[in-house]
Amino acid sequence: MKVARFSKMGFILAAAGSAVGLGNIWKFPYIAGEYGGGAFVLVYLLTVLLIGFSIMIAEMLIGYLGRKDTVTSFEELAPTHKGRWKFAGFQSLAGLFIMIFYSVVIGWIFNYIVTSVTTLPSSVKEAETTFNAMLHTGFKTQLFYHTAAFIWITYVLTKGIKGGIEKMNFILMPALMVILGGMFIYATTLDTFHQAVEFMFYPDWSKINSTAFVVAVGHAFFTLSLGMGAIMTYSASMEKGSNLVKNAFWVVFLDTTIAIVAGLMLFTFLYQYGSGPAKGPGLVFISLPAAFYEMGVLGNIFAVLFFIALAFAGLTSSVSLVEPMVQYFIDRFGWSRLKASISMGTFFWFFGIFAILSNVDGYKEFLTWGSKSFFDWVDYVTAAIMLPLGGLAMAIFVGFAMDKSKVESIMRPQLKWAFDIWYFSLRYITPVAMFVVILSLMGII
Ligand code: PFF
């Protein structure tokens, strides 16, 4: 059977499609707001450059050489202890878990696309009421749109690498860039644009503390889709002879640029028409719609376009979150793609219902442990623990377990003088940083 592979451009778009997601447009602006802007953004950028880029190359290398699902790739590439290393491949489970809440958020976005056509909230108060009504009492609405997201994502997965994933990214990624680019250009013409620039790039070091540092590192992983085998699985279908460093560069570049463009645009709108940089997850669902309202009809158009772009970003990431486990069942158990896609889809759809219920009045009491709902727990455990652990495993695998001469023979010609820096970063900088992040997030330090 001929194995389907991404085209060159197809790979970059698909991997960038994975990276550019809700993390860039929904999460990044609000956590940047929460942790005081500039200083946080700088720490995040440094992490992306020093750690994210290295791990991205390492993850691509494992996938590119392994050519299989994550479990098999680790197993086959490990020179010794194959049976043990194969467990590192189960980092792919994180993607399925992330989907439990990710799909629900995409559902909210679908809902906002529809309602923004006719109605925008006239004040932040009203926007808050609308959002909370959906969250706490709108079970049916959330279930309906969560199911729509599940059907879309599963359908694309059944179509495979070429006819599904590559094709979708070829359409949605350029569309997303055009929408965001257009809105960004409009934002640059507003008086408050410079305030947004200042907010995002003027570092106020007094606002940075160890929590902000840890959040920045964790977010760098999440936003670059690292630590759960998504990039690895896509790389298994990369064309032979591809330049991993160039590919990694494009993915990191596009992801970072889109996060910054989205952040600048959102903050400009919030300064110009709203109440300034809002904090918290409600930023795009509460403060932003209220700011769009102030723009009149243009606001409705912008709101619909914005939520469409956000949905596109989320959908292209979603397929990459599920694909590793789909590939796993195809490669290890000989399942058909159809069976694997529908089974994995059903998994996140089913548990997604509990994520919805964990915010709904009358149910949330039963689905909240400690101060976190089931929804928040899934987010926390995946982003705070599973992804950094996955990243740690990859750094150690490429840095220590894999044969250095093999790694060097492929990577030195591509990295040239930077090879030693990369290798050093994988062996020492990344593991130490990951370890600190994990301990700190678990509240140990
Ligand atoms: N990078 C995606 C985002 O920023 O929303 C989320 C994500 C996708 C995380 C794929 C991890 C992953 F493997």
Side-chain angles (χ1 to χ4, degrees), residues 20 34 39 51 83 115 122 150 155 191 300 318 334 369 376 393-394 440:
V20 176
E34 221 158 56
I51 301 175
T115 55
S122 60
F150 148 73
Y155 174 75
D191 309 334
N300 285 80
S318 299
W369 301 279
D376 295 336
M394 272 179 303
S440 151

Side-chain angles (χ1 to χ4, degrees), residues 95-421:
L96 265 194
F97 296 157
I98 291 174
M99 277 308 291
I100 292 171
F101 73 90
Y102 211 82
S103 168
V104 173
V105 179
I106 294 179
W108 300 349
I109 298 165
F110 282 168
N111 182 25
Y112 270 68
I113 296 175
V114 176
T115 55
S116 302
V117 174
T118 51
T119 341
L120 286 173
S122 60
S123 65
V124 173
K125 194 102 210 78
E126 192 184 323
E128 210 169 334
T129 313
T130 313
F131 180 70
N132 285 335
M134 176 190 74
L135 199 66
H136 301 310
T137 56
F139 173 69
K140 280 198 195 128
T141 311
Q142 290 189 78
L143 178 63
F144 175 76
Y145 287 113
H146 164 58
T147 307
F150 148 73
I151 292 172
W152 183 324
I153 295 157
T154 308
Y155 174 75
V156 173
L157 286 165
T158 62
K159 295 281 164 195
I161 291 281
K162 268 270 177 226
I165 298 175
E166 178 168 302
K167 198 162 162 193
M168 170 165 96
N169 278 290
F170 256 121
I171 302 168
L172 300 196
M173 284 305 284
L176 164 110
M177 290 187 230
V178 168
I179 295 174
L180 287 183
M183 287 173 79
F184 175 73
I185 291 171
Y186 178 80
T188 58
T189 65
L190 299 176
D191 309 334
T192 47
F193 181 69
H194 73 275
Q195 270 173 278
V197 174
E198 216 163 276
F199 179 73
M200 278 195 49
F201 294 108
Y202 181 76
D204 177 356
W205 293 108
S206 69
K207 292 239 170 78
I208 205 96
N209 50 27
S210 64
T211 318
F213 178 80
V214 165
V215 171
V217 177
H219 183 68
F221 263 76
F222 185 83
T223 189
L224 291 173
S225 299
L226 296 174
M228 58 132 286
I231 297 293
M232 194 185 296
T233 304
Y234 278 5
S235 303
S237 300
M238 205 192 277
E239 266 182 1
K240 282 253 176 318
S242 299
N243 187 316
L244 307 190
V245 179
K246 269 197 195 132
N247 285 349
F249 168 80
W250 275 110
V251 178
V252 173
F253 173 77
L254 285 171
D255 187 72
T256 312
T257 310
I258 291 178
I260 289 174
V261 161
L264 285 174
M265 171 191 93
L266 294 182
F267 289 130
T268 306
F269 289 156
L270 290 175
Y271 275 120
Q272 185 87 15
Y273 299 106
S275 41
K279 301 177 177 89
L283 190 146
V284 304
F285 294 109
I286 297 172
S287 329
L288 192 67
F292 280 140
Y293 173 85
E294 298 296 322
M295 291 179 172
V297 183
L298 184 67
N300 285 80
I301 299 171
F302 269 22
V304 172
L305 284 174
F306 172 78
F307 285 114
I308 288 178
L310 192 53
F312 285 0
L315 288 164
T316 49
S317 296
S318 299
V319 291
S320 80
L321 283 159
V322 190
E323 173 66 9
M325 284 313 286
V326 170
Q327 196 65 49
Y328 170 74
F329 280 102
I330 295 176
D331 285 349
R332 303 284 295 203
F333 294 93
W335 285 15
S336 68
R337 181 164 268 282
L338 186 71
K339 179 177 169 187
S341 308
I342 293 177
S343 311
M344 295 305 108
T346 308
F347 177 92
F348 77 72
W349 176 79
F350 179 75
F351 286 101
I353 297 174
F354 291 92
I356 297 175
L357 286 175
S358 74
N359 288 319
V360 170
D361 292 341
Y363 294 92
K364 63 178 177 221
E365 297 73 20
F366 305 104
L367 290 160
T368 300
W369 301 279
S371 59
K372 286 186 179 42
S373 63
F374 174 62
F375 183 106
D376 295 336
W377 271 113
V378 181
D379 182 9
Y380 176 78
V381 171
T382 49
I385 302 168
M386 296 183 83
L387 299 191
L389 269 180
L392 182 65
M394 272 179 303
I396 294 175
F397 187 70
V398 177
F400 292 99
M402 274 176 80
D403 204 9
K404 184 173 180 192
S405 57
K406 184 167 183 176
V407 172
E408 196 165 4
S409 69
I410 300 171
M411 294 317 303
R412 195 178 283 282
Q414 296 185 20
L415 278 160
K416 307 204 171 61
W417 53 269
F419 174 83
D420 297 302
I421 303 176

